[in-house]
Amino acid sequence: MLRQTDEDVIRKVHYMRKMDPGVFKDLARSISAKDYAAGFQVFEKGMPAGHFYIVISGWIALYRLDSSGKKTTVKLMGPGESFAEALIPEGSVYPLSAEVLSKTRLASVSTEHFRRIIRSDPETSINVLSATFQQLRILVDRIEQDAGWSCERRIARFLLKCHADAGSKQEFKLPLEQKVIAEFLSMSPYTFSRKLAKMQKLGINTRRGYVKIEDLSRLSEIANGTLDYN
């Protein structure tokens, strides 16, 4: 059963926000939300895509395993983000695996029910297509970051997202273990820790998993590539 807070988050997702209230009410009957502990496997690569998901709170890792079993995190999904909605067509399978990284509340939407809604509401299908292209742009940006961005710029962009997710508070707790963040940012945990410590000169202070941003404008300049910090 959905809580009102669940519906509030779901309704803010791009293709849900523009949905007709009556259509959303129909869809809500097929949505369930549950709480999960870290380590829970949401789905594995190759499984039939019977649902897509919206993160109410917490964090999810989308990852793949290579032939040797090494895990590579492709994307981290935080509060208010949806994933696997591109797999609505019948017969789709998950191309990646998904795992809960921290205490998380996750809403799941039946793809079968959603297909019926799309057939009766073409505007929704356009909105989902738009969301799919947005996810593609994010992945392209990720490739660009890995190839050309400095470690500091990648860290700054991630901290800005955490800052926004925390309600723009000056001080907030890192949502994940540093080794998980480092892997996602394509650097070693040692490099992540060392670079984060050096950024204290810019008023970005870390202590026991908490970050305090003294100068948000300088952090934004690093993230946008307008301040070359070494």
Side-chain angles (χ1 to χ4, degrees):
M1 182 177 179
L2 291 179
R3 304 168 183 167
Q4 185 58 52
T5 51
D6 298 334
E7 286 199 22
D8 292 342
V9 173
I10 294 169
R11 203 68 166 111
K12 291 178 181 178
V13 174
H14 172 70
Y15 49 89
M16 299 291 192
R17 184 170 63 246
K18 298 181 179 182
M19 190 177 287
D20 178 84
V23 175
F24 180 79
K25 184 177 180 180
D26 176 31
L27 176 64
R29 289 197 288 267
S30 73
I31 303 177
S32 62
K34 296 180 181 179
D35 297 307
Y36 299 94
F40 179 80
Q41 195 74 34
V42 182
F43 55 74
E44 294 184 353
K45 178 182 177 180
M47 290 177 57
H51 296 81
F52 64 92
Y53 299 87
I54 300 166
V55 183
I56 305 299
S57 62
W59 288 81
I60 299 289
L62 300 181
Y63 69 91
R64 60 181 175 83
L65 297 175
D66 64 18
S67 58
S68 66
K70 181 182 177 182
K71 180 188 291 187
T72 299
T73 300
V74 176
K75 194 170 189 332
L76 297 179
M77 310 303 301
E81 294 185 299
S82 64
F83 59 97
E85 64 272 10
L87 304 175
I88 292 170
E90 192 170 358
S92 296
V93 298
Y94 296 115
L96 299 169
S97 299
E99 180 183 8
V100 174
L101 295 177
S102 63
K103 183 179 179 181
T104 294
R105 186 164 177 81
L106 194 62
S108 62
V109 185
S110 165
T111 53
E112 181 180 357
H113 191 91
F114 203 75
R115 281 196 295 270
R116 291 201 296 269
I117 286 178
I118 285 178
R119 293 189 189 105
S120 62
D121 183 28
E123 184 66 25
T124 297
S125 65
I126 294 174
N127 292 333
V128 172
L129 184 61
S130 174
T132 301
F133 278 116
Q134 183 178 13
Q135 292 291 347
L136 179 60
R137 286 197 299 269
I138 291 172
L139 288 177
V140 171
D141 288 345
R142 169 78 192 280
I143 294 172
E144 178 188 341
Q145 291 175 25
D146 288 348
W149 286 21
S150 67
C151 292
E152 289 82 4
R153 188 176 179 187
R154 279 176 268 160
I155 293 171
R157 179 61 63 89
F158 183 79
L159 292 180
L160 283 178
K161 174 172 172 48
C162 293
H163 171 71
D165 289 343
S168 299
K169 295 178 181 178
Q170 185 182 37
E171 185 173 9
F172 56 86
K173 189 178 187 301
L174 285 173
L176 301 166
E177 295 181 6
Q178 289 195 16
K179 65 178 182 179
V180 176
I181 299 172
E183 179 192 358
F184 176 66
L185 297 178
S186 300
M187 64 186 76
S188 70
Y190 171 76
T191 298
F192 177 76
S193 180
R194 182 167 56 86
K195 295 292 186 180
L196 200 57
K198 286 181 63 178
M199 293 174 78
Q200 289 185 13
K201 298 177 182 178
L202 297 176
I204 302 164
N205 301 305
T206 59
R207 179 181 173 83
R208 296 181 179 178
Y210 282 84
V211 176
K212 186 175 183 180
I213 301 175
E214 301 285 358
D215 193 336
L216 184 61
S217 62
R218 294 193 74 183
L219 183 64
S220 298
E221 287 176 350
I222 297 174
N224 293 329
T226 55
L227 177 63
D228 185 14
Y229 173 72
N230 293 301

